[in-house]
Amino acid sequence: MQKIRNIAVIAHVDHGKTTLVDGLLEQSGTYAAHEQHEERAMDSNALEKERGITILSKNTAIRYKDYKINIIDTPGHADFGGEVERVLKMVDGVLVLVDAYEGVMPQTKFVVKKMLALGKKPIVVINKIDKPSADPERVVDEMFDLFAAMDATEDQLDFPVIYAAARDGIAKLDMSHPDGNFECIFETILSQIPEPKGDRENSTQAQVFTLDYDNYVGKIGISRIFNGVIKKGDNVMLAKADGELVKGKISKLIGFHGLNRMEIQEAEAGDIVAFAGLETVDVGDTICDPANPMPLDPMHIEEPTLTVVFSVNDSPLAGQEGKHVTSNKLKDRLEAEMTTNVAMRLEIVGEGKFKVSGRGELQITILAENMRRENFEFGVSRPEVIVREIKGVKCEPFEHLVIDVPENLSGAVIEKLGKRKAEMKSMVPMGQGFQRIEFEIPARALIGFRGQFLTDTKGEGIMNHSFLEFRPYSGSVESRSYGALVSMENGETLAYSLFNIQDRGVLFIGPQTKVYEGMIVGEHSRSNDLVVNAIKGKAQSNVRSSGADEAIKLVPPRDMSLERALEWIEDDELLEITPKSIRIRKKYLTESERKRHTRK
């Protein structure tokens, strides 16, 4: 039997999971002396590097002494909660990371709840102890209270604690000890995390927990072997979630070491490997012995809570900046996304319209941003929550919202959330002049709240939320309180006309920008929409006027990122997304069409 340990690293977003995995890779001697690597090496795609967040869970393996330790780095964002839940089933123990100042956050609660329910053994790592405001002792108490409140077993409550500053490669078992390296983490993993159960003599059982895709070999299933041995070229049986059995052959078996994948000939119970050759493989499927198929329990995947409609771009500027503009291209790209992203759903709702459901705005904007970088051009509607009927009652998703705000600004935030049907649950001082306030709030009330929240807290507030449950529908919720400035002409904007328009509200565009009728150029300072002419030049006459030489001063336009624009739009508006620009427009471009539809 190989000496194997399987662990997952879980934590709230930005508490240092990927940085810790970096340190483990480095200090275990996994990298060869000549190997070059960058920081946060596990965040492999461009978006993860830019935003500093993990989007897809990824696995690696390190060798320490004569042990092989499989490590899975998980996302910390609530929108990717489904990933974390599946990963936890594949491991025997968990490193729970907590920031030494921020302490227990919503996502920490979410992942700890899942971990305790599955009976996994935790090791608590208090990270970022080098922060000037760190208070590790308070955070250890918070973690103990959290475990106790979530009905942890005696064994789980007796968790080992490691104090670390992952970025600097420092770890120690007691705050009074001198700084050491990660050796204490490796030793704690070997002594505390149980060996994988299962036997290589039993008949084969392996479960797929995440998917990958390769242009040469097709779909790749990354799975944990619970029993038996899998060899390259084996004939196997694939047991689907609905009970269907499919015969197949393993054409390629892939093992992990550091950041590298290499072909291997066989793997045995307890290991985590990837395989190719089964085209119909899905998350939660079991690979079993054709002579004696024994499927494992299929996995529960979290239901989506938000939907948006992706549509073909039909604006007057369509097709000028993107390469892929047809509905067929859009459909193929969205279907390809669904093969590896199990938390999303796709349905075709009309000619060139596709309804995509996901766990949150971030998940949907990341898909849109990736497509934009691949030269797609498309429209996206405002996000809507999924309403369900449970026992004859109309229900909607509720979120658990936690905000950290400066004490002197908390009043304004509480007032705004009150109008959005939020219920305050607790309010605790955090030190350093900050307060932590917890709410329960309908998910649709959070759409469009982030921008307003950042303005109200002068950019110092932090908000985090995670899905709570479906509850009875709570009536209408206040949405955007300002109207839009809508262009009445096609052409290029001029500074002269923008100068006159900027008194009416906030502009989103600068001079020399292409606009068309029905495109939104800014936010009106009142609640109604206002139609404006942004391309009108100054009428010249041959008589000198007194105001001829006055300088035109324009206020810099508000920068609308993809997330911000998606939160800002209302039901009668769309985002036009191209590789070069993000435009906001009305669904019906001419004013007469808009009036006709409001009458209806």
Side-chain angles (χ1 to χ4, degrees):
M1 189 75 181
Q2 287 174 293
K3 293 179 172 177
I4 296 176
R5 293 287 184 275
N6 294 322
I7 59 163
V9 186
I10 60 173
H12 185 78
V13 73
D14 210 19
H15 280 194
K17 295 176 294 298
T18 307
T19 311
L20 180 82
V21 175
D22 262 10
L24 293 171
L25 281 167
E26 196 147 310
Q27 296 198 20
S28 62
T30 301
Y31 293 130
H34 63 275
E35 223 175 316
Q36 290 292 318
H37 59 91
E38 13 190 330
E39 61 172 342
R40 301 201 320 274
M42 296 294 284
D43 284 349
S44 53
N45 72 25
L47 267 182
E48 290 184 314
K49 283 200 172 23
E50 277 169 36
R51 293 170 184 238
I53 58 171
T54 302
I55 295 168
L56 303 163
S57 57
K58 300 182 194 58
N59 46 308
T60 180
I62 58 177
R63 298 240 170 239
Y64 177 73
K65 297 186 173 166
D66 50 353
Y67 284 83
K68 178 181 184 185
I69 304 175
N70 285 314
I71 304 173
I72 306 180
D73 180 19
T74 63
H77 214 283
D79 288 14
F80 311 112
E83 287 275 323
V84 181
E85 203 176 344
R86 299 198 306 273
V87 162
L88 288 175
K89 290 198 170 171
M90 299 299 134
V91 295
D92 308 297
V94 177
L95 289 181
V96 187
L97 256 79
V98 209
D99 185 298
Y101 164 65
E102 289 187 353
V104 174
M105 297 292 274
Q107 192 63 12
T108 320
K109 287 185 182 171
F110 174 82
V111 291
V112 164
K113 185 168 141 196
K114 303 279 183 210
M115 172 201 78
L116 295 174
L118 291 166
K120 305 296 177 193
K121 173 80 188 184
I123 296 174
V124 173
V125 181
I126 308 291
N127 193 21
K128 307 196 184 183
I129 53 170
D130 53 336
K131 272 190 176 178
S133 52
D135 186 355
E137 302 309 319
R138 182 201 65 181
V139 175
V140 172
D141 294 344
E142 273 184 24
M143 286 302 283
F144 189 83
D145 295 344
L146 173 67
F147 278 49
M150 301 254 180
D151 300 333
T153 61
E154 289 293 315
D155 184 42
Q156 286 172 327
L157 278 171
D158 184 23
F159 53 84
V161 179
I162 298 169
Y163 300 93
R167 190 189 57 191
D168 305 331
I170 294 169
K172 49 190 172 180
L173 294 171
D174 195 303
M175 282 304 282
S176 57
H177 292 177
D179 291 347
N181 60 10
F182 280 5
E183 195 155 316
C184 58
I185 302 184
F186 293 121
E187 292 299 338
T188 312
I189 291 172
L190 298 186
S191 62
Q192 297 287 335
I193 305 291
E195 275 188 11
K197 295 187 177 79
D199 193 346
R200 61 173 294 156
E201 302 308 319
N202 295 347
S203 48
T204 307
Q205 279 180 315
Q207 191 163 30
V208 178
F209 66 91
T210 173
L211 300 173
D212 204 346
Y213 192 82
D214 182 272
N215 289 336
Y216 295 103
V217 293
K219 249 188 188 180
I220 295 176
I222 299 174
S223 58
R224 157 135 184 215
I225 306 173
F226 286 96
N227 273 306
V229 180
I230 291 184
K231 294 184 176 142
K232 183 180 172 179
D234 272 1
N235 288 317
V236 291
M237 186 74 84
L238 186 66
K240 308 285 288 176
D242 56 6
E244 184 192 355
L245 295 175
V246 183
K247 284 185 176 171
K249 182 178 182 175
I250 289 180
S251 63
K252 200 171 189 180
L253 195 60
I254 302 159
F256 299 93
H257 181 64
L259 301 179
N260 303 325
R261 296 180 170 196
M262 59 252 175
E263 279 202 51
I264 52 176
Q265 293 308 309
E266 68 166 77
E268 60 182 356
D271 212 348
I272 290 178
V273 292
F275 63 84
L278 304 166
E279 261 312 296
T280 56
V281 67
D282 255 323
V283 167
D285 292 353
T286 311
I287 291 174
C288 23
D289 188 349
N292 179 18
M294 290 191 292
L296 296 157
D297 291 340
M299 291 183 186
H300 159 71
I301 291 167
E302 290 228 326
E303 290 296 316
T305 55
L306 271 189
T307 67
V308 301
V309 175
F310 280 69
S311 57
V312 171
N313 183 14
D314 59 357
S315 87
L317 299 178
Q320 294 185 14
E321 295 174 359
K323 186 175 161 195
H324 309 301
V325 292
T326 61
S327 65
N328 286 349
K329 288 272 189 198
L330 201 57
K331 177 167 169 260
D332 293 347
R333 174 65 182 85
L334 292 170
E335 281 174 349
E337 183 67 27
M338 301 306 139
T339 58
T340 56
N341 193 337
V342 287
M344 286 183 129
R345 308 265 186 287
L346 171 69
E347 55 178 298
I348 297 167
V349 286
E351 187 62 44
K353 289 191 174 167
F354 309 93
K355 194 185 218 173
V356 175
S357 318
R359 287 278 304 128
E361 286 171 62
L362 182 72
Q363 198 182 24
I364 287 163
T365 49
I366 279 174
L367 168 63
E369 181 63 46
N370 277 327
M371 288 171 62
R372 185 183 168 202
R373 292 177 181 207
E374 292 160 22
N375 268 332
F376 280 85
E377 200 174 288
F378 51 94
V380 173
S381 71
R382 180 177 192 229
E384 289 175 13
V385 298
I386 295 175
V387 179
R388 282 208 210 147
E389 198 148 303
I390 301 172
K391 295 181 183 166
V393 181
K394 187 175 168 188
C395 293
E396 63 171 337
F398 268 68
E399 300 265 330
H400 171 217
L401 170 72
V402 175
I403 58 172
D404 290 356
V405 284
E407 282 170 12
N408 55 337
L409 300 173
S410 57
V413 175
I414 294 169
E415 184 196 352
K416 293 263 165 71
L417 283 166
K419 288 180 181 166
R420 289 173 175 258
K421 301 266 198 317
E423 196 180 319
M424 189 156 98
K425 290 295 179 193
S426 77
M427 190 167 182
V428 191
M430 283 286 290
Q432 306 251 326
F434 272 78
Q435 267 178 339
R436 173 165 296 175
I437 318 173
E438 304 199 9
F439 298 89
E440 289 177 2
I441 183 168
R444 65 200 158 96
L446 281 171
I447 297 174
F449 175 65
R450 191 180 294 270
Q452 194 183 16
F453 170 76
L454 285 172
T455 312
D456 290 346
T457 59
K458 301 185 170 59
E460 288 189 49
I462 298 170
M463 64 181 265
N464 289 289
H465 50 91
S466 62
F467 174 68
L468 200 59
E469 61 190 351
F470 275 86
R471 287 188 187 169
Y473 198 73
S474 60
S476 64
V477 168
E478 183 189 85
S479 61
R480 189 176 88 205
S481 45
Y482 300 109
L485 297 172
V486 188
S487 167
M488 55 161 48
E489 294 284 349
N490 300 345
E492 275 197 12
T493 54
L494 293 172
Y496 173 76
S497 51
L498 293 180
F499 177 68
N500 294 322
I501 294 169
Q502 68 184 8
D503 301 338
R504 301 299 191 113
V506 183
L507 290 174
F508 297 160
I509 56 168
Q512 267 97 51
T513 307
K514 284 184 181 172
V515 292
Y516 50 82
E517 184 179 2
M519 180 171 150
I520 294 172
V521 295
E523 180 178 87
H524 191 196
S525 53
R526 299 197 175 166
S527 59
N528 61 321
D529 289 348
L530 183 68
V531 179
V532 295
N533 183 352
I535 66 167
K536 189 173 78 180
K538 185 176 182 181
Q540 299 290 348
S541 73
N542 55 0
V543 179
R544 290 185 74 173
S545 65
S546 57
D549 301 326
E550 282 176 8
I552 288 179
K553 286 185 181 153
L554 288 179
V555 178
R558 181 190 294 173
D559 181 31
M560 294 300 267
S561 65
L562 188 54
E563 273 95 353
R564 216 167 161 183
L566 194 67
E567 286 191 335
W568 188 83
I569 57 175
E570 284 293 328
D571 293 337
D572 62 337
E573 294 159 1
L574 288 178
L575 279 194
E576 176 188 344
I577 299 174
T578 75
K580 291 181 187 161
S581 26
I582 293 166
R583 302 187 186 100
I584 306 174
R585 51 165 282 194
K586 289 286 182 190
K587 276 188 183 166
Y588 301 106
L589 295 177
T590 64
E591 200 173 356
S592 54
E593 263 187 322
R594 290 199 290 278
K595 281 183 176 157
R596 197 163 68 237
H597 280 277
T598 20
R599 280 199 213 103
K600 280 184 188 172

